[in-house]
Amino acid sequence: MMAQHEQNTEFMWKLYNPSIPSFIHDLACTPAIQRLKGVGMNCGCEYTSFPLFKNLKNYSRYSHSIGCALIVWKFTQDVKQTIAALLHDISTPTFAHVIDFLNGDYMKQESTESDTATTIEASSEIMTMLNTIGLTLKDVADYHQYPIADNDSPKLSADRLEYTLTNIVNYHIASYEKAKVWFDNLVADSNEHNEEELMFSNLDIAEQFSLAALHTSRIYVADEDRFAMQSLAELLKKNIARGILNVADLYRTEKEVISLLSNDTMATADWNQFRQLRHIFSGSNHPEAKVVIAKKRYINPYILGMGRVSDHSATFAKALRSFLETPLDKPLWAE
């Protein structure tokens, strides 16, 4: 494993809540959630040699899931909503959204979400704990029903907030201390549609966060990011077709999948070639050039009693418009 995996992002949990409630801790100890320690949030990009992903701390779906739960708990004090947030990524496959690329779902990136209820139900440990607490599978299997946990982009929810703040710090866009200032300015209140949403109390702080968040949005669709995810998807698809992997293997950990690839000479060569990707190029004058389209993720937060940041910040509105109008259809290749 690479050097950036030697440290992790769990220090972000203290920002969201000073302690972890016992029911979150107990559920997080179950094998189904522990598996998420071996599934990264950076979708395999951190295994390449692109400078953009160098020296990142290990950011796992486990770290993200507990972070989401802590945010929901802070703003709702509701056990049902908190557990739904904790379990929302429980069915995430290895390399996460790379499997959406493998499935051809690179625009919505939702193809792997349908197994959440099945995965929860298959865990006897989780089902026993839910029964003890007095909750049903229906209460926690779909976090979309709780707007503080999740809502539609560009609104702000615990899920969107957690990975944005962590990536802002992890990519050195802003410091942990600055992220704390932003987080401490948040409240849960009604937005312009009378829906509950996480929102900022102060315009200047909201603008700062929004511009930093937009920086992460650009990273998610950077040439290196898109190319790496598509390349890894093709690698996995090829080796599933060859029988080196099967679909069930994708629901193990990244370490286990990499180990399976290492048992075959051709698959090992594929993996080593992926690991060595270092420089990205654009243009159609290369035999292996490919166009890679991807989902544009972004946040336009609400400011309490005022409206969206783009309604009050010309700087952010211009930056957001530029991001949304940036084409992603140029052919790419890498060496």
Side-chain angles (χ1 to χ4, degrees):
M1 203 65 76
M2 294 185 297
Q4 60 258 45
H5 287 261
E6 293 175 1
Q7 295 180 314
N8 60 46
T9 59
E10 292 175 8
F11 62 90
M12 293 293 291
W13 296 346
K14 286 287 187 182
L15 188 155
Y16 310 135
N17 206 64
S19 61
I20 299 177
S22 59
F23 71 94
I24 294 179
H25 174 271
D26 292 345
L27 284 164
C29 288
T30 60
I33 298 182
Q34 286 287 304
R35 180 188 73 89
L36 298 180
K37 288 182 175 180
V39 180
M41 285 290 288
N42 285 294
C43 304
C45 295
E46 69 272 31
Y47 292 98
T48 69
S49 296
F50 287 124
L52 181 60
F53 309 113
K54 187 178 181 180
N55 298 323
L56 289 178
K57 291 181 173 63
N58 178 37
Y59 183 24
S60 69
R61 291 277 159 174
Y62 174 82
S63 178
H64 169 65
S65 297
I66 292 182
C68 284
L70 292 174
I71 293 171
V72 172
W73 179 247
K74 174 180 173 61
F75 287 102
T76 70
Q77 296 293 293
D78 186 279
V79 173
K80 180 168 55 178
Q81 295 184 52
T82 300
I83 293 177
L86 177 66
L87 301 179
H88 81 278
D89 268 347
I90 197 169
S91 65
T92 300
T94 187
F95 305 118
H97 290 299
V98 165
I99 309 307
D100 292 321
F101 277 71
L102 190 154
N103 294 337
D105 184 38
Y106 45 80
M107 289 304 295
K108 291 185 177 180
Q109 297 183 14
E110 297 172 350
S111 69
T112 59
E113 294 182 4
S114 60
D115 294 331
T116 302
T118 302
T119 306
I120 295 171
E121 193 170 26
S123 170
S124 59
E125 298 92 347
I126 293 176
M127 292 304 295
T128 297
M129 291 183 193
L130 292 179
N131 184 60
T132 300
I133 296 171
L135 297 178
T136 66
L137 180 64
K138 186 176 180 180
D139 289 329
V140 301
D142 181 11
Y143 81 139
H144 301 296
Q145 64 186 307
Y146 305 119
I148 294 299
D150 183 63
N151 51 32
D152 293 331
S153 178
K155 292 180 285 189
L156 187 59
S157 63
D159 182 16
R160 209 164 284 120
L161 175 65
E162 202 291 319
Y163 69 67
T164 300
L165 282 177
T166 300
N167 280 325
I168 283 173
V169 175
N170 206 11
Y171 280 93
H172 307 289
I173 297 166
S175 66
Y176 174 90
E177 291 72 23
K178 177 62 74 173
K180 186 177 189 310
V181 170
W182 297 337
F183 185 79
D184 289 346
N185 191 251
L186 290 166
V187 296
D189 212 307
S190 296
N191 62 20
E192 69 270 47
H193 303 297
N194 202 31
E195 301 165 335
E196 196 173 21
E197 184 179 347
L198 293 178
M199 60 188 68
F200 288 93
S201 304
N202 178 274
L203 171 58
D204 290 339
I205 289 177
E207 181 187 48
Q208 292 170 24
F209 167 83
S210 300
L211 290 168
L214 194 56
H215 194 147
T216 68
S217 297
R218 295 189 185 99
I219 291 173
Y220 304 151
V221 293
D223 293 347
E224 296 92 335
D225 190 289
R226 290 166 20 242
F227 188 89
M229 291 177 70
Q230 181 61 35
S231 297
L232 184 50
E234 291 170 1
L235 185 160
L236 296 174
K237 185 174 183 178
K238 172 184 175 180
N239 284 289
I240 289 173
R242 293 183 59 238
I244 306 304
L245 302 173
N246 59 53
V247 174
D249 291 328
L250 301 180
Y251 292 87
R252 299 168 75 171
T253 66
E254 291 172 7
K255 183 177 181 180
E256 289 173 311
V257 169
I258 294 168
S259 178
L260 290 171
L261 292 173
S262 70
N263 291 330
D264 176 81
T265 302
M266 188 180 298
T268 298
D270 291 340
W271 176 249
N272 288 338
Q273 183 178 20
F274 174 75
R275 289 291 309 274
Q276 291 164 14
L277 294 177
R278 185 179 304 273
H279 302 292
I280 195 80
F281 304 93
S282 64
S284 57
N285 57 336
H286 191 278
E288 296 182 6
K290 52 194 171 190
V291 173
V292 186
I293 308 296
K295 176 181 180 178
K296 288 184 176 180
R297 302 170 182 270
Y298 66 99
I299 306 171
N300 186 7
Y302 195 78
I303 309 160
L304 184 64
M306 294 181 64
R308 298 285 159 186
V309 174
S310 62
D311 298 328
H312 299 277
S313 168
T315 300
F316 175 69
K318 181 180 179 180
L320 177 59
R321 186 166 56 252
S322 175
F323 169 70
L324 294 176
E325 292 175 354
T326 300
L328 303 178
D329 58 355
K330 59 185 177 183
L332 303 172
W333 79 93
E335 296 176 353

